[in-house]
């Protein structure tokens, strides 16, 4: 299979991953009012990793040798480990809609890293359409005036975004031959180990009382967000990533602000200006144009092999 071609299942998987990440950012923002970031990350990854290992066992999947586990599993330290540690801490200092906006810098970073590390050929059309999508992202964020004075939180999120971009490129390089379910499970387990190492530093700050006072609904949302944000989203993303190249997969991350800003409006009451919805339309138009362009290329590449 040629990994640059339009692929309907890949489109579905990558769009679903973006929806999970965008919507669950909103849920995480709500939870962070009651549960501190490292504790939330540990809860989310514990639920996610446990569920994923259950599915691996039910599937009776043949497990690769231990040296191959490290090859794909260590990527979990990068993402979601370090990446979402930085992102959740940053999210406590900024709004959910701004967080999803900042994540939209990832496709541009992926384009550059895919060209630099994977030697993927970048066409002028792909670059221009990606920049058009980015302009939509700027419109979404430019109308948001609630984030002034929250520079440090935004910088932490951007650092997390850079980790995720590295993850996409390295997963594209090293993830071939691994079942997406098994790969996600390993990565979530490595990330959980990272979170557990950090957890004592946060719990020493008198967070036990806060956790005891949290409502049952908060714990429910924390568990659900773990399933959506990590288990489902990463499973969807790796399923799509093995079917297209890294730069094409990165295009779909432009959809995260649409789901995030829409979710923040519906569930958190964060108002969206008309310019933000114009930006959302620009993102959708650019992504759709990229998909049509990829589809037009497909017939001439039918003789290519995986």
């Amino acid at each position: 299979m040629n990994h640059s071609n339009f692929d309907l299942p890949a489109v579905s998987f990558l769009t679903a991953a973006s929806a999970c990440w965008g919507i669950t950012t909103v849920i995480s923002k709500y939870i962070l009012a009651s549960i501190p970031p490292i504790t939330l990350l540990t809860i989310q990854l514990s639920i996610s990793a446990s569920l994923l290992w259950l599915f691996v066992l039910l599937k009776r999947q043949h497990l690769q040798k231990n040296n191959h586990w490290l090859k794909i599993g260590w990527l979990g330290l990068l993402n979601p480990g370090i990446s979402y540690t930085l992102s959740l801490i940053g999210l406590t200092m900024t709004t959910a809609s701004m967080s999803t906006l900042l994540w939209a810098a990832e496709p541009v970073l992926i384009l550059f890293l895919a060209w630099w590390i994977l030697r993927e050929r970048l066409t002028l059309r792909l670059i221009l359409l990606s920049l058009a999508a980015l302009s939509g992202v700027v419109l979404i964020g430019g109308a948001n005036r609630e984030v002034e004075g929250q520079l440090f939180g935004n910088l932490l999120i951007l650092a997390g975004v850079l980790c995720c971009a590295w993850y996409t490129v390295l997963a594209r390089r090293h993830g071939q031959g691994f079942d997406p379910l098994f790969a996600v499970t390993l990565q979530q387990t490595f990330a959980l180990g990272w979170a557990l190492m950090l957890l004592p530093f946060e719990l020493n700050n008198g967070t036990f009382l806060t956790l005891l006072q949290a409502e049952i609904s908060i714990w429910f949302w924390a568990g659900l967000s773990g399933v959506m944000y990590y288990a489902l989203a990463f499973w969807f993303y790796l399923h799509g990533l093995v079917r297209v190249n890294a730069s094409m997969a990165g295009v779909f991350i432009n959809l995260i602000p649409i789901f995030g800003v829409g979710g923040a409006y519906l569930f958190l009451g964060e108002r969206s200006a008309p310019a933000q919805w114009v930006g959302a339309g620009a993102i959708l138009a650019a992504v759709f144009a990229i998909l049509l362009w990829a589809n037009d290329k497909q017939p001439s590449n039918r003789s290519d092999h995986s």
Side-chain angles (χ1 to χ4, degrees):
M1 173 183 174
N2 187 314
H3 292 288
S4 65
N5 286 346
F6 172 89
D7 187 288
L8 184 57
V11 171
S12 301
F13 286 130
L14 294 170
T15 301
S18 296
C20 287
W21 280 320
I23 293 171
T24 316
T25 295
V26 177
I27 298 174
S28 295
K29 177 63 178 178
Y30 168 72
I31 299 169
L32 285 169
S34 303
I35 299 178
I38 304 303
T39 304
L40 176 58
L41 180 66
T42 304
I43 294 169
Q44 290 175 326
L45 287 172
S46 297
I47 297 294
S48 175
S50 298
L51 183 63
L52 287 168
W53 277 113
L54 176 62
F55 283 132
V56 168
L57 293 175
L58 290 175
K59 192 177 178 181
R60 300 179 184 275
Q61 187 174 35
H62 174 69
L63 304 182
Q64 283 97 339
K65 295 180 181 179
N66 288 345
N67 59 329
H68 292 155
W69 289 26
L70 291 175
K71 181 179 178 181
I72 193 67
W74 76 269
L75 292 175
L77 295 177
L78 189 62
N79 182 34
I82 298 171
S83 172
Y84 284 94
T85 298
L86 297 172
S87 179
L88 285 175
I89 294 173
L91 187 57
T92 64
M93 307 175 193
T94 189
T95 63
S97 53
M98 177 51 69
S99 176
T100 56
L101 162 71
L102 293 171
W103 277 97
E106 187 179 355
V108 176
L109 292 173
I110 290 174
L111 280 176
F112 171 74
L113 292 173
W115 167 78
W116 181 33
I117 297 175
L118 302 181
R119 302 303 180 190
E120 290 184 3
R121 189 174 65 89
L122 301 182
T123 65
L124 179 61
R125 183 179 299 185
L126 178 60
I127 294 172
L128 291 177
L129 288 174
S130 296
L131 291 175
L134 183 61
S135 70
V137 170
V138 172
L139 279 175
I140 288 178
N144 193 329
R145 296 289 180 258
E146 301 177 35
V147 296
E148 296 177 1
Q150 299 176 7
L151 178 61
F152 184 63
N154 294 339
L155 289 176
L156 287 176
I157 293 173
L158 281 174
V161 171
L162 180 60
C163 291
C164 277
W166 275 105
Y167 166 85
T168 293
V169 172
L170 294 176
R172 183 69 183 84
R173 167 181 280 184
H174 300 299
Q176 300 301 311
F178 279 87
D179 177 78
L181 173 62
F182 182 55
V184 169
T185 303
L186 282 178
Q187 290 165 9
Q188 305 281 304
T189 304
F190 275 68
L192 176 58
W194 161 266
L196 288 172
M197 287 191 298
L198 296 180
L199 186 61
F201 297 98
E202 185 172 79
L203 294 182
N204 284 338
N205 294 329
T207 56
F208 285 106
L209 182 60
T210 302
L211 295 175
L212 291 174
Q213 293 174 339
E215 299 178 358
I216 295 178
S217 61
I218 294 294
W219 294 100
F220 168 78
W221 285 112
L224 180 63
S225 66
V227 173
M228 290 181 62
Y229 210 54
Y230 300 104
L232 281 179
F234 278 81
W235 182 81
F236 284 140
Y237 192 66
L238 286 186
H239 258 292
L241 187 58
V242 299
R243 305 180 72 99
V244 298
N245 59 31
S247 53
M248 181 64 73
V251 167
F252 287 84
I253 296 172
N254 288 295
L255 299 176
I256 293 178
I258 297 176
F259 293 108
V261 172
Y265 174 78
L266 291 174
F267 300 113
L268 298 181
E270 295 181 7
R271 297 295 177 180
S272 300
Q276 291 179 292
W277 295 112
V278 172
I283 293 170
L284 287 174
V287 172
F288 186 64
I290 290 173
L291 294 179
L292 287 179
W293 166 63
N295 192 41
D296 289 341
K297 290 175 59 182
Q298 186 170 2
S300 62
N301 291 326
R302 283 176 180 167
S303 62
D304 294 341
H305 299 286
S306 300

